Amino acid sequence: AQSVTQLDSQVPVFEEAPVELRCNYSSSVSVYLFWYVQYPNQGLQLLLKYLSGSTLVKGINGFEAEFNKSQTSFHLRKPSVHISDTAEYFCASYNQGGKLIFGQGTELSVKP
Amino acid sequence: DAGITQSPRHKVTETGTPVTLRCHQTENHRYMYWYRQDPGHGLRLIHYSYGVKDTDKGEVSDGYSVSRSKTEDFLLTLESATSSQTSVYFCAISEAGTVYNEQFFGPGTRLTVL
């Protein structure tokens, strides 16, 4: 079973609109959760991470995510997207063996 | 940006030929990782290293071998490439192997096996 599930493979949105990219995790992974962004033809870059403490985590480029233990979710949000946010986004967590497990990825496409 | 380079950046090869991909870091990080990225699968761990000459298998290690003779270099070898190994390969590094340590990623190598 997939340990980290991203519920949308593609999310099209207009510029300046809000966006939410959804991520659920299973009990087979830890609650150390990450969001990475991959711009076209580049490697992955860390957006934000949740290790402990406040359930609302703020990251770079105006993104934030909320850890919800009861719903086993870690959704990524941005109140107003820009064309430059067009990229693929990956949710990830460590499994019990200490390996980083990635979701399938969500392609965010921001249209003018 | 973390000092990670991968070479080559693009390679086209034929089925049955050996291929070696190189990851080089200038950060002196102990841990190094090789992932492959395929549509619908995200990134999957192939092998990783926790020190010079210390390596271990990841989720999708069949058909791949690795070597690390120096802290800065981590090689991934496909002994006999197959079409199923067509993918984008990413190297990553981290200072330690705990969940608190961010992994930094290289720019990737796009490998096509014909």
Side-chain angles (χ1 to χ4, degrees):
Chain A
Q2 185 70 25
S3 305
V4 177
T5 302
Q6 293 181 240
L7 301 172
D8 307 290
S9 59
Q10 295 179 321
V11 173
V13 64
F14 287 105
E15 193 174 19
E16 297 183 6
V19 71
E20 178 179 79
L21 307 184
R22 298 180 294 166
C23 174
N24 286 352
Y25 64 93
S26 73
S27 59
S28 64
V29 298
S30 71
V31 293
Y32 301 111
L33 296 155
F34 305 80
W35 275 100
Y36 283 86
V37 59
Q38 182 182 28
Y39 298 106
N41 299 314
Q42 294 186 27
L44 277 70
Q45 176 183 354
L46 184 68
L47 264 182
L48 50 80
K49 60 185 176 184
Y50 171 79
L51 300 181
S52 65
S54 173
T55 57
L56 184 63
V57 181
K58 294 191 182 298
I60 62 171
N61 300 339
F63 283 93
E64 63 182 29
E66 186 164 14
F67 171 66
N68 188 319
K69 187 174 182 180
S70 63
Q71 297 188 6
T72 62
S73 67
F74 189 55
H75 300 336
L76 181 70
R77 301 185 182 102
K78 186 170 182 177
S80 176
V81 294
H82 302 291
I83 298 287
S84 58
D85 293 323
T86 293
E88 188 156 22
Y89 293 78
F90 293 95
C91 182
S93 178
Y94 280 91
N95 67 7
Q96 305 302 337
K99 306 301 184 290
L100 194 59
I101 303 297
F102 288 84
Q104 304 93 322
T106 298
E107 285 188 29
L108 175 64
S109 176
V110 182
K111 305 178 185 303
Chain B
D1 291 342
I4 310 170
T5 57
Q6 292 185 232
S7 58
R9 293 293 314 278
H10 302 271
K11 186 170 182 66
V12 179
T13 191
E14 294 190 350
T15 298
T17 60
V19 176
T20 296
L21 308 183
R22 179 180 183 238
C23 177
H24 179 77
Q25 59 144 332
T26 58
E27 305 297 322
N28 201 35
H29 282 2
R30 180 181 173 192
Y31 281 72
M32 299 185 75
Y33 309 82
W34 276 109
Y35 292 88
R36 59 177 290 172
Q37 181 182 21
D38 304 289
H41 291 277
L43 276 75
R44 292 178 291 175
L45 182 65
I46 304 171
H47 282 281
Y48 67 101
S49 168
Y50 47 96
V52 173
K53 294 190 180 357
D54 293 324
T55 65
D56 205 349
K57 296 180 180 180
E59 180 188 0
V60 290
S61 59
D62 288 348
Y64 301 94
S65 62
V66 290
S67 65
R68 191 168 177 200
S69 59
K70 298 184 291 185
T71 299
E72 57 266 36
D73 289 326
F74 192 32
L75 304 181
L76 177 70
T77 297
L78 292 65
E79 300 289 348
S80 178
T82 67
S83 58
S84 64
Q85 293 175 311
T86 292
S87 187
V88 181
Y89 292 85
F90 287 98
C91 173
I93 64 173
S94 67
E95 199 167 3
T98 71
V99 300
Y100 298 98
N101 293 103
E102 177 183 349
Q103 290 189 20
F104 298 91
F105 287 80
T109 294
R110 184 174 296 275
L111 176 67
T112 302
V113 183
L114 301 176

